[in-house]
Amino acid sequence: MPPPPPPEAPAPTLLGELVEEIFLRLPPDEPEWLVRASLASKHWLGLLTGPAFRTRYREFHGAPPMLGFLYTSIPGSSITQRFVSTTKFGTRARDMKDWGVCCLDYDAWDCRHGRVLLCNIHLTPNALVVWDPMIGDWNWLVAPENYPWQRVAVLCVVSGCDHRACHDGPFRLVSVALDEEDGCCVAYERVSSLETGEQSDPDHYLTHDDWDSMSHGLDHLVDDAHIEPMPPVLIEDALHFMLAYLHDGSVAILKYDLGSKCLSLIDAPLVETDIACATILMGTDDGSLGFARVDRLTLNLWSRQMASDGVPAWTQRVVINLKELLPIQNPKQSLIPIGSVEGSDIIFLNSLDLGVYEINLKSLQWKKIWKAEKFRALFPYMSFHNPPGILISTSFVFENNS
């Protein structure tokens, strides 16, 4: 009788380095793939949540993906949610109702470096909330003063941070406001002195004393100037806000230099009236300030770069016929710019009939990211998932919001 065949050898396991190389190539805008992989074994969970893999993953893919967005609506329209997920990413948050607060009372004012800035203008003084959707932390503050026109921006202040996965660290707030003084408008700035990144208790609001002292800014602005409720743009070491004039609808740009703590005014690349609702500021992929205007179905993009004489100047970069690019049947259809991704050529356009579109102005690739809504401004939430110290599977909901 022949001897029994030898037992089959166990299937060879993939080498750890090869497994890591495969995981590195999973797309960051589909973070649920990493979640499912992490659930397969404790070894993979440890690998995917370890600092070495997180660092390599971010370096391999470069710019962080958009995991969702926040928005503000046209006055008079209803708001049913503040954060819209464009992937299978679920935000972390405490229940604000436990603190006697309705989150729908808070408008999105800014979103940058993994943090969201919300403001309740119905409270006096205005209440500010800095929220980290990835880990769920909240910081509560009050605005410096109740100015008629005021905007606040949020940014990371961690030294050496590449801002691709900012979480749970020091942050900085910059408040720029306009107020009447001696018959004209004046711009002010205040920088929050809160740079601890520690979570605050709702019963212990950070007050006016937690802001730097007021500094004088710009005189002799037209007395009907106001700061548009649109996303501010960070270019290198300066924040830029869109300034509009009520008497004719023309626009200008208010610049705040974080280094010198000085405010200055930049002329728009075109001098036209009634364009405030059709223009937006951008941070282009070459690091320059961009200015986009949509005239019905034509998109124009200018960028501000240093000229040969050493003086910054506007240059028209792109002219796009949106009727030829998007599935638009009605030639009378109009689109309005509502947001952009800093450090890229990506812009968001809204049509009350067609929906919200994301367009890469360089490659001309586009996709529809949301249904038709009365959006006024869109704030993209850009971040890699898998923050340090958090199990990768705990921040997700497996559902389709499209």
Side-chain angles (χ1 to χ4, degrees):
M1 183 176 182
E8 293 184 4
T13 58
L14 290 174
L15 297 176
E17 293 181 0
L18 180 57
V19 170
E20 186 169 343
E21 290 299 321
I22 294 174
F23 288 152
L24 282 175
R25 285 156 177 79
L26 294 179
D29 56 352
E30 297 291 346
E32 72 273 15
W33 291 11
L34 286 175
V35 174
R36 294 188 176 109
S38 72
L39 298 176
S41 71
K42 291 183 178 180
H43 174 70
W44 285 7
L45 176 62
L47 170 66
L48 297 177
T49 58
F53 177 81
R54 291 197 308 270
T55 300
R56 286 198 64 197
Y57 190 76
R58 294 194 295 266
E59 292 176 349
F60 183 85
H61 291 281
M66 183 172 78
L67 299 181
F69 63 85
L70 296 97
Y71 65 90
T72 58
S73 297
I74 296 172
S77 57
S78 61
I79 295 177
T80 58
Q81 62 187 118
R82 280 298 177 201
F83 187 94
V84 177
S85 178
T86 55
T87 63
K88 292 178 180 178
F89 163 73
T91 61
R92 285 169 161 257
R94 291 178 178 82
D95 190 351
M96 296 176 72
K97 294 180 181 179
D98 293 341
W99 292 346
V101 176
C102 176
C103 63
L104 297 184
D105 291 335
Y106 284 74
D107 286 328
W109 271 26
D110 197 15
C111 183
R112 181 179 297 101
H113 300 165
R115 297 168 181 84
V116 173
L117 178 65
L118 305 171
C119 179
N120 189 338
I121 62 174
H122 304 294
L123 298 179
T124 304
N126 295 164
L128 301 174
V129 173
V130 179
W131 171 42
D132 188 329
M134 189 72 69
I135 61 178
D137 279 356
W138 297 85
N139 287 92
W140 296 73
L141 308 91
V142 293
E145 298 287 350
N146 269 357
Y147 292 111
W149 301 107
Q150 179 175 234
R151 301 303 293 181
V152 184
V154 61
L155 59 157
C156 170
V157 293
V158 176
S159 178
C161 183
D162 60 14
H163 307 310
R164 290 182 289 185
C166 292
H167 302 289
D168 195 28
F171 61 87
R172 187 182 192 185
L173 298 180
V174 176
S175 173
V176 177
L178 301 179
D179 194 11
E180 292 184 2
E181 182 176 289
D182 298 328
C184 64
C185 278
V186 181
Y188 297 91
E189 59 83 13
R190 286 190 175 185
V191 179
S192 170
S193 59
L194 175 71
E195 296 190 353
T196 64
E198 295 178 354
Q199 183 178 308
S200 59
D201 187 283
D203 296 328
H204 296 86
Y205 276 83
L206 298 173
T207 63
H208 305 285
D209 295 335
D210 295 293
W211 294 79
D212 291 346
S213 59
M214 185 190 310
S215 62
H216 195 269
L218 291 173
D219 294 317
H220 311 301
L221 295 177
V222 178
D223 58 8
D224 66 348
H226 69 277
I227 303 175
E228 282 284 280
M230 301 299 290
V233 173
L234 178 66
I235 305 294
E236 294 183 346
D237 204 28
L239 285 162
H240 300 78
F241 302 81
M242 183 74 81
L243 198 66
Y245 301 103
L246 296 177
H247 70 280
D248 63 359
S250 61
V251 298
I253 301 162
L254 196 60
K255 175 183 177 181
Y256 172 66
D257 189 293
L258 295 167
S260 64
K261 297 187 178 181
C262 291
L263 284 160
S264 59
L265 195 64
I266 300 175
D267 292 332
L270 67 167
V271 183
E272 296 185 20
T273 60
D274 298 323
I275 62 172
C277 293
T279 58
I280 197 169
L281 300 178
M282 298 180 61
T284 61
D285 64 349
D286 62 1
S288 61
L289 176 64
F291 182 97
R293 187 217 174 173
V294 178
D295 183 9
R296 296 193 66 84
L297 295 177
T298 302
L299 187 150
N300 297 269
L301 175 66
W302 291 263
S303 65
R304 183 174 170 84
Q305 298 177 332
M306 196 67 67
S308 57
D309 58 0
V311 178
W314 291 104
T315 302
Q316 189 166 22
R317 284 181 46 184
V318 174
V319 179
I320 298 175
N321 186 336
L322 297 174
K323 187 176 184 301
E324 297 179 355
L325 180 66
L326 302 177
I328 298 175
Q329 302 297 326
N330 183 3
K332 295 183 179 180
Q333 181 69 54
S334 61
L335 296 99
I336 59 172
I338 58 174
S340 65
V341 177
E342 286 183 350
S344 74
D345 283 346
I346 294 177
I347 191 172
F348 300 99
L349 303 180
N350 186 33
S351 166
L352 298 181
D353 298 325
L354 301 176
V356 180
Y357 289 90
E358 173 189 314
I359 304 175
N360 188 312
L361 301 181
K362 178 172 288 187
S363 66
L364 297 185
Q365 293 181 328
W366 62 270
K367 61 181 177 180
K368 183 176 178 179
I369 64 170
W370 200 245
K371 57 189 177 181
E373 295 279 6
K374 295 181 179 180
F375 288 171
R376 177 65 182 96
L378 184 148
F379 302 80
Y381 178 69
M382 314 294 297
S383 180
F384 285 99
H385 187 252
N386 191 14
I390 301 295
L391 290 181
I392 192 169
S393 60
T394 58
S395 294
F396 279 80
V397 288
F398 291 99
E399 62 183 14
N400 190 346
N401 289 319
S402 59

